[in-house]
Amino acid sequence: MKRRRKHWRDDFGTPKTFVLYRTPDVWRYAMYFSGAIVDGYLAQPSAGSEPGEAQTAAHGKAEDLAGQPLTISWEASNEPGWWTGTITTEPRT
């Protein structure tokens, strides 16, 4: 089986911000690119897990969506259960 390339993300530009928030059922996210917004939920960890666990999973999801290594600096929001991540790309070697 041939693996398909995710062409849709090529038009999105560079990711800028990642928002992570807890709902009663799951951790949800929104990733803001310069040309689009991608949102969804994390299948793991559960909604009852610690924020650090969810941030680690969200980091992996962000790198998958961006198709490149990223650095995310997390900050707690004024809203309980919400975190905002500022994204920078890692230099390619």
Side-chain angles (χ1 to χ4, degrees), residues 7-47:
H7 293 284
W8 53 266
R9 75 171 165 236
D10 294 340
D11 296 333
F12 286 0
T14 305
K16 304 290 182 194
T17 307
F18 198 99
V19 176
L20 177 66
Y21 56 102
R22 186 190 325 241
T23 66
D25 300 323
V26 294
W27 285 96
R28 296 200 54 87
Y29 66 85
M31 187 169 169
Y32 295 82
F33 289 80
S34 54
I37 301 170
V38 176
D39 66 343
Y41 68 92
L42 300 174
Q44 292 293 323
S46 69

Side-chain angles (χ1 to χ4, degrees), residues 23-88:
T23 66
D25 300 323
V26 294
W27 285 96
R28 296 200 54 87
Y29 66 85
M31 187 169 169
Y32 295 82
F33 289 80
S34 54
I37 301 170
V38 176
D39 66 343
Y41 68 92
L42 300 174
Q44 292 293 323
S46 69
S49 65
E50 293 297 317
E53 237 183 298
Q55 289 169 353
T56 299
H59 191 145
K61 179 60 109 178
E63 287 183 338
D64 182 51
L65 290 170
Q68 61 184 314
L70 303 171
T71 298
I72 303 178
S73 302
W74 294 102
E75 290 183 31
S77 171
N78 293 336
E79 292 290 323
W82 287 64
W83 287 265
T84 302
T86 302
I87 300 173
T88 55

